[in-house]
Amino acid sequence: IGAHRPRGATRHSDPIHLATLNGEHSFMQMLIKGNAVKDIDARDGNMATCLHIAVEKNDIVAVRILVEAGAA
């Protein structure tokens, strides 16, 4: 079993996935509040939701933003 490697962006990553991956909390909030996120639980090319990414990065602020927006 090898070391854990963090997820990276894929060509199927939505802007909200990229913002979560990069810890861009203000941009995440702007996308959510601006109704630019069609499905908060959408999966990227790695089959990860934004919430998966935030938890893997131990980004509590992103987790809170996503859960408050309805991520499950």
Side-chain angles (χ1 to χ4, degrees):
I1 299 174
H4 173 73
R5 291 185 298 166
R7 294 181 193 273
T10 71
R11 62 188 177 107
H12 300 290
S13 296
D14 291 333
I16 190 70
H17 288 93
L18 298 174
T20 304
L21 184 65
N22 293 315
E24 297 176 11
H25 303 132
S26 296
F27 189 52
M28 290 172 65
Q29 291 174 323
M30 183 185 75
L31 289 169
I32 292 166
K33 290 179 182 176
N35 294 320
V37 180
K38 295 177 185 171
D39 180 4
I40 197 72
D41 292 319
R43 295 179 182 269
D44 67 5
N46 292 320
M47 297 305 295
T49 66
C50 295
L51 191 55
H52 289 136
I53 295 168
V55 168
E56 285 182 355
K57 292 179 62 60
N58 294 316
D59 188 340
I60 299 301
V61 174
V63 169
R64 181 180 43 81
I65 291 168
L66 295 165
V67 169
E68 288 176 358

